[in-house]
Amino acid sequence: MNDKDIIDIENRFMANVFSKKPIALTRGKGALVWDINGKEYLDCSSSYGVALLGHCHPKVVAAIQAQVAQLITCHSGYYNDRRAEFVQKLVQITPKGLDKVFLSNSGAESVECSIKLARKYTGKPEIIALMGAFHGKTMGALSATWDKKYREPFMPLVPDFKHVAPDNADKIREAITEKTAAVLMEPIRGEGGVRVPPDGYLQAVRQICDEKNILLIFDEVQTSFGRTGKLFGCQNWGVTPDVMCLAKPFAGGLPIGITVAKENIMSALKVGEHTTTFSGSPLVCAAGCAAIDALIEEKLTERAAEMGKYLKARLEGLQAKHKIIKEVRGLGLMLGMELRFDVQNVILKAAEKCVLVLDAGRTVVRLLPPLVIEKEQINWAVSVLDEVLGEEENERASNTVPN
Ligand SMILES: Cc1ncc(COP(=O)(O)O)c(C=O)c1O
């Protein structure tokens, strides 16, 4: 198969729901990926926030290879050595008190579990989420997601969800009623534009939840696993939620969702009330053990803090040069560069020049590179963005590009 065949077949047989770039990737190593013709790309998206250890991390590859011949699938109705090892490693790194785990297969599923858990534990239906939030696209998670382009075609959604303005704890206080079960939020809003909350906000929300006796759920699907320079995003503010949703990088690239909660809360779910066939498969858990080991042994959280500072400073350098950059923001290696116009052109041009970045809303270029990214690779990404932004500025100056 050549790239044209691959593209034709996928377009012909797959639901047309992903906004695709005409690149057929077939290999990856560290922060690099290659297309079928051997063309090299720098993946500053970590395949949408998954490959935080880089692609095909050797420890993860070895763990998968060893496990695949041993036992691939084992329903959670039975016990399994790899699963036991994984949850033990996991609760050793989760914030203190969060030590009961439900395993699933995706970020949205981790959120679904947290919603059911909040309703079951409190016996109340209402969930407060934030304007600008993204929690996934299954019906429950979608009900907490803000963007109307995702929500409107699928109305009616799950009832008793409400959205309040972010970064203002009073808005949460005002929204709480007798029926409120939980506040569900991302510590740093990712898809919503890489929005870091003001200092004191998460602490204030924690205090309100405690006062009102409602649960605080952090969706850390994008902000965990060292991404922000701390193991979990909430640790930047020293705030621990009651329930935490995890996913993307925790199995080194295999599909995983994790809901972790305080023991008394998780015990509200009784046998049969929330299960899924692939929960904690041995293969995924073997990869997860290797992923956690690699994260800790290679001190990648610290590396994210250090490389993140460097990348942010370099992006701020671009901001000083290019007037079309409105703001650079983020923490660790979760960074956003807000432009004064739609970013799709910039993202496509960067991909043509072999640097893969993401959007976050209409006007934000989002960089989520693997934590193993090298300084020279950061320089490469910045020089490509510099070039692309320069071209964009020139085209706009000659009025050929609409806003
Ligand atoms: C904060 C957050 N929550 C939930 C999700 C949904 O995860 P998934 O796409 O694995 O369902 C995402 C995906 O990007 C996310 O960023």
Side-chain angles (χ1 to χ4, degrees):
M1 261 196 234
N2 60 31
D3 49 357
K4 191 177 166 306
D5 295 334
I6 296 169
I7 290 168
D8 283 351
I9 293 169
E10 282 202 24
N11 285 344
R12 184 159 162 224
F13 293 116
M14 291 189 70
N16 181 24
V17 290
F18 290 92
S19 157
K20 280 173 172 285
K21 294 173 189 63
I23 302 171
L25 297 173
T26 53
R27 195 160 61 87
K29 186 101 204 102
L32 299 174
V33 284
W34 289 268
D35 74 9
I36 192 159
N37 301 313
K39 191 170 169 188
E40 184 176 273
Y41 294 81
L42 179 60
D43 182 6
C44 287
S45 75
S46 305
S47 197
Y48 250 93
V50 172
L52 268 66
L53 301 174
H55 291 273
C56 295
H57 189 286
K59 284 201 179 79
V60 174
V61 171
I64 292 173
Q65 283 172 337
Q67 185 61 37
V68 79
Q70 188 72 29
L71 188 65
I72 296 174
T73 184
C74 170
H75 191 269
S76 277
Y78 299 91
Y79 294 87
N80 173 258
D81 51 354
R82 286 291 91 74
R83 189 186 304 129
E85 199 187 330
F86 177 63
V87 292
Q88 193 171 43
K89 274 186 199 295
L90 181 68
V91 299
Q92 274 164 12
I93 63 166
T94 49
K96 201 163 174 293
L98 296 182
D99 47 17
K100 273 284 198 182
V101 180
F102 177 78
L103 296 174
S104 55
N105 309 286
S106 69
E109 275 183 78
S110 72
V111 173
E112 292 293 336
C113 175
S114 76
I115 294 167
K116 285 177 71 176
L117 187 51
R119 287 186 167 183
K120 183 78 200 305
Y121 176 74
T122 61
K124 297 174 179 181
E126 206 169 76
I127 308 285
I128 298 173
L130 299 184
M131 293 171 181
F134 185 83
H135 296 291
K137 295 179 183 170
T138 54
M139 289 305 265
L142 184 61
S143 306
T145 289
W146 166 250
D147 197 328
K148 68 175 187 300
K149 78 170 180 278
Y150 300 136
R151 297 163 56 85
E152 272 182 358
F154 306 102
M155 297 289 194
L157 299 177
V158 178
D160 289 319
F161 279 73
K162 49 172 139 169
H163 290 86
V164 303
D167 300 345
N168 180 347
D170 288 338
K171 298 286 176 197
I172 289 182
R173 190 186 287 282
E174 286 159 18
I176 293 171
T177 69
E178 301 277 272
K179 292 194 321 178
T180 306
V183 173
L184 165 61
M185 59 188 287
E186 302 154 86
I188 300 173
R189 275 165 290 134
E191 303 282 329
V194 189
R195 310 267 173 190
V196 181
D199 282 338
Y201 176 61
L202 296 189
Q203 290 92 327
V205 176
R206 175 71 274 182
Q207 205 177 335
I208 293 169
C209 290
D210 287 342
E211 264 171 43
K212 303 279 183 186
N213 218 5
I214 60 178
L215 298 185
L216 178 58
I217 306 169
F218 280 162
D219 177 346
E220 292 250 16
V221 165
Q222 201 168 134
T223 48
S224 55
F225 208 77
R227 167 60 78 200
T228 69
K230 299 278 182 197
L231 267 174
F232 298 92
C234 60
Q235 292 170 331
N236 287 291
W237 295 275
V239 175
T240 304
D242 302 299
V243 182
M244 197 161 65
C245 308
L246 307 171
K248 293 183 186 278
F250 272 86
L254 293 187
I256 189 165
I258 304 168
T259 312
V260 55
K262 293 178 177 165
E263 169 156 23
N264 62 322
I265 297 171
M266 191 63 96
S267 63
L269 290 177
K270 303 299 179 208
V271 172
E273 286 184 341
H274 190 71
T275 63
T276 180
T277 301
F278 289 112
S279 176
S281 91
L283 192 62
V284 168
C285 289
C289 288
I292 291 177
D293 286 349
L295 175 71
I296 305 299
E297 284 162 21
E298 295 171 24
K299 297 189 170 33
L300 294 178
T301 303
E302 295 81 346
R303 192 185 164 86
E306 187 194 326
M307 289 296 165
K309 260 191 206 132
Y310 179 69
L311 176 54
K312 195 173 184 195
R314 294 291 324 265
L315 295 178
E316 283 163 351
L318 290 185
Q319 187 187 3
K321 181 171 170 191
H322 298 285
K323 300 253 171 319
I324 56 177
I325 304 178
K326 199 168 154 195
E327 193 182 23
V328 171
R329 54 181 180 251
L331 265 183
L333 281 172
M334 179 175 182
L335 294 170
M337 190 167 67
E338 178 151 19
L339 305 188
R340 298 184 190 283
F341 49 81
D342 190 293
V343 294
Q344 285 314 321
N345 227 13
V346 167
I347 290 172
L348 278 176
K349 279 188 179 163
E352 279 164 17
K353 293 178 195 287
C354 299
V355 170
L356 308 179
V357 293
L358 296 168
D359 59 356
R362 202 179 70 85
T363 55
V364 179
V365 176
R366 182 172 30 154
L367 291 104
L368 295 177
L371 311 189
V372 295
I373 193 166
E374 306 282 347
K375 224 173 198 177
E376 300 71 52
Q377 292 172 326
I378 289 181
N379 293 338
W380 170 16
V382 171
S383 74
V384 164
L385 288 171
D386 187 13
E387 221 179 289
V388 168
L389 291 166
E391 285 172 18
E392 196 70 13
E393 250 163 0
N394 290 340
E395 283 170 32
R396 272 161 202 280
S398 57
N399 267 337
T400 55
V401 183
N403 279 321

